[in-house]
Amino acid sequence: MKEKLQIIWQMFLLLLLGFVSVAGIAFPVVAKPLSWYEFPLIPGLGENVKIIFFHVPTAWLTVVAFLVSTIYSVKYLREKNPDDDAKAYAAMQIGVIFCILATVTGAVWSKFAWGQYWSWDPRQTSIFALLLIYGALFALRSSIESEDKRAALSAVYSVIAFLTVPFFIFIMPRIMKGLHPGSADDTNKGPILDFKMNSNMLLIFFLSLAGFTLLFYWMWRISYKSIILKDKINKQIN
Amino acid sequence: MKAYSLFNKDLASEIRTRYAVNSLAMFILVTISVILFSVGSEKVSENLTGGLFWAVIFFTSMSGLSRAFVSEEERGTALTLQLIASPTTVFSGKLLFNLILVFAMNIVVAALYSTLFDAFIIKNFALFIALFILGNIGIAVSSTIIAAIISKAGSKGTLYPVLSFPILLPLILILIDLTKMAMGGLEAYSAYVELAALVCYNVIMITASYMLFDFIWKD
């Protein structure tokens, strides 16, 4: 019964992500959308707007993975349960994949939208800082032999690193000029912030967000279970 | 009181060996002269000197501030410290020592830097003093807690800047921006949000450090 349920929701996820990918890429952008499958034309973005269905979920999952990792780090520090460390580590591993994806898709998009791959926009700075934090966490973990020490120190570091995130969200956009859609001084701030995307675009955007989040959850579960199992087998052998 | 005696102990051992002070002084000289060589006879813009000032301070901090905890681990005195003092006391003592060190180091950097770079002129001196003090506190707090983390890990020297940079990045970006404001002679009230952000950063980091230090320190 449990396996059947699992297959059903895996099929559901496949269909959801398949629909989102096809719809996000293939639906046309027109000036005055009439049919349900047409996206509105947003001035300054044009066809480039379609990246929202793939880039925004990856960036969102980068932050979600970091949040999950921090929550389980705090839980580890309170209860000292090695499984929580495995969960935090698994979230980190998947988070760094999405972080790289968000950085690369964003850079490629910015080549077409802004003319260059990298321009130290506040969002680019923050995703770069997140990449550095993930990198630092892996560097820290690989340099400690003892399991308890490794779990405790990486938990402490991820909590401290998480505390810098508000500065990137609230302070950086004020200090640096923003090009990213949705920035404070951005001319095409309207469409993204005010959700002037029409209803079908919003629907596909949120479906994509939900689909990717489910995918993350699935990957994370497999990942931490495999880490816990690996530890168990290692202990049995030794 | 106990934290103060721990600080005294660090100070006495520092005066005897002069390890941190010597290496920091040399590092400041080396970093500034590398910048001077690479600039050559080129004219440096004001904004660039404001940014480079904090680059010098960042790298100098990374060279010397990890001593506070790494030296305890290397000498094998960390266990004794764990027995005689509570984690809070240990952290307070080390933080006090690093604060003094950061202030001494950065005053030297500022003095040297302003004599060597003609373009580095501060128009709003009060704002610069404010950002200098707040920035130094932030650097000292963050680098002390990271020093505690890396003292327990292997490959301490290379790990220190790697772990510190993401934590110090928001602080340094705000400081660079404020330095440009102070050099441009902007009134202090227009930099109110940035100064408030610096205070927030310091408060957050001090609180988090005291809360989390127990977990690092206890074996």
Side-chain angles (χ1 to χ4, degrees):
Chain A
M1 189 60 213
K2 209 183 154 197
E3 273 125 35
K4 241 180 202 166
L5 213 70
Q6 213 167 12
I7 286 170
I8 288 171
W9 85 261
Q10 282 168 11
M11 288 308 291
F12 167 71
L13 188 59
L14 178 74
L15 283 175
L16 183 63
L17 283 176
F19 170 70
V20 164
S21 313
V22 170
I25 293 170
F27 283 10
V29 173
V30 293
K32 282 203 181 98
L34 294 169
S35 338
W36 64 274
Y37 55 81
E38 284 171 337
F39 294 143
L41 184 75
I42 296 167
L45 287 176
E47 289 275 339
N48 287 341
V49 80
K50 285 178 177 175
I51 198 176
I52 196 173
F53 305 115
F54 309 103
H55 169 71
V56 176
T58 52
W60 151 256
L61 284 181
T62 310
V63 179
V64 167
F66 193 26
L67 180 69
V68 169
S69 158
T70 309
I71 289 170
Y72 279 98
S73 295
V74 172
K75 210 162 163 243
Y76 175 82
L77 289 178
R78 290 169 70 97
E79 291 161 15
K80 301 277 173 202
N81 180 0
D83 289 0
D84 288 332
D85 179 54
K87 285 176 188 174
Y89 184 46
M92 270 178 231
Q93 283 178 330
I94 298 165
V96 77
I97 297 170
F98 282 111
C99 192
I100 292 167
L101 277 177
T103 316
V104 171
T105 52
V108 170
W109 180 82
S110 103
K111 175 73 181 167
F112 292 100
W114 308 337
Q116 53 191 6
Y117 287 112
W118 203 263
S119 41
W120 292 113
D121 173 84
R123 306 285 168 103
Q124 286 184 324
T125 312
S126 354
I127 201 89
F128 176 66
L130 267 173
L131 206 55
L132 282 179
I133 290 171
Y134 277 121
L137 272 167
F138 291 122
L140 178 65
R141 288 189 76 95
S142 61
S143 73
I144 307 168
E145 298 276 320
S146 142
E147 269 171 37
D148 296 342
K149 208 76 225 169
R150 185 200 304 146
L153 290 185
S154 81
V156 168
Y157 186 72
S158 61
V159 173
I160 294 176
F162 192 76
L163 293 175
T164 63
V165 169
F167 289 92
F168 287 108
I169 297 172
F170 297 115
I171 311 294
M172 282 316 127
R174 195 189 135 84
I175 291 178
M176 302 165 137
K177 268 201 206 107
L179 296 161
H180 197 284
S183 295
D185 56 347
D186 180 28
T187 43
N188 50 28
K189 148 190 177 186
I192 312 291
L193 270 198
D194 304 345
F195 285 104
K196 259 195 231 147
M197 307 193 273
N198 67 359
S199 51
N200 63 25
M201 201 171 168
L202 263 184
L203 179 73
I204 291 175
F205 172 64
F206 281 118
L207 278 181
S208 158
L209 215 54
F212 273 96
T213 311
L214 278 175
L215 182 71
F216 165 74
Y217 179 68
W218 188 19
M219 286 167 82
W220 176 61
R221 259 174 54 121
I222 294 174
S223 182
Y224 80 67
K225 277 181 183 164
S226 84
I227 293 175
I228 292 171
L229 278 178
K230 219 186 270 169
D231 282 352
K232 219 184 234 170
I233 293 166
N234 267 340
K235 265 181 202 133
Q236 275 171 2
I237 292 170
N238 294 335
Chain B
M1 199 58 218
K2 260 180 155 180
Y4 180 67
S5 38
L6 191 70
F7 165 72
N8 264 342
K9 174 224 119 195
D10 275 345
L11 195 66
S13 96
E14 182 55 44
I15 288 169
R16 207 172 296 154
T17 60
R18 285 186 288 277
Y19 186 96
V21 172
N22 275 342
S23 59
L24 277 179
M26 287 314 293
F27 206 91
I28 294 171
L29 269 181
V30 169
T31 323
I32 292 185
S33 50
V34 164
I35 291 176
L36 280 173
F37 287 141
S38 53
V39 166
S41 54
E42 209 95 8
K43 188 147 173 48
V44 189
S45 75
E46 285 190 14
N47 276 348
L48 188 60
T49 53
L52 283 176
F53 176 67
W54 290 104
V56 173
I57 286 182
F58 173 75
F59 283 107
T60 318
S61 315
M62 288 307 99
S63 74
L65 293 184
S66 63
R67 286 301 300 168
F69 283 101
V70 172
S71 65
E72 301 287 351
E73 294 289 331
E74 277 175 0
R75 291 185 205 138
T77 45
L79 273 175
T80 327
L81 261 187
Q82 274 180 37
L83 287 175
I84 60 168
S86 72
T88 318
T89 319
V90 174
F91 190 73
S92 305
K94 297 292 182 189
L95 181 60
L96 197 60
F97 183 72
N98 267 358
L99 265 175
I100 305 284
L101 205 59
V102 168
F103 268 95
M105 169 189 106
N106 288 358
I107 288 168
V108 173
V109 172
L112 261 181
Y113 202 82
S114 50
T115 47
L116 289 173
F117 288 87
D118 296 332
F120 190 67
I121 302 158
I122 305 294
K123 292 207 181 91
N124 186 346
F125 208 70
L127 180 61
F128 184 74
I129 294 290
L131 79 92
F132 190 70
I133 291 172
L134 288 173
N136 285 352
I137 294 172
I139 289 174
V141 174
S142 300
S143 48
T144 310
I145 190 78
I146 302 294
I149 292 178
I150 62 132
S151 72
K152 304 281 180 190
S155 69
K156 300 173 173 63
T158 43
L159 210 52
Y160 193 44
V162 169
L163 291 195
S164 302
F165 185 65
I167 309 294
L168 287 175
L169 188 59
L171 180 72
I172 286 179
L173 286 175
I174 297 169
L175 285 173
I176 289 174
D177 197 54
L178 272 173
T179 312
K180 281 176 192 165
M181 286 183 183
M183 289 171 76
L186 230 67
E187 288 302 316
Y189 64 80
S190 54
Y192 171 73
V193 174
E194 278 82 354
L195 284 174
L198 277 188
V199 175
C200 283
Y201 181 92
N202 289 349
V203 171
I204 289 173
M205 281 303 154
I206 290 173
T207 320
S209 304
Y210 273 99
M211 280 170 73
L212 294 169
F213 184 68
D214 284 19
F215 299 110
I216 305 170
W217 190 238
K218 274 185 287 189
D219 267 320

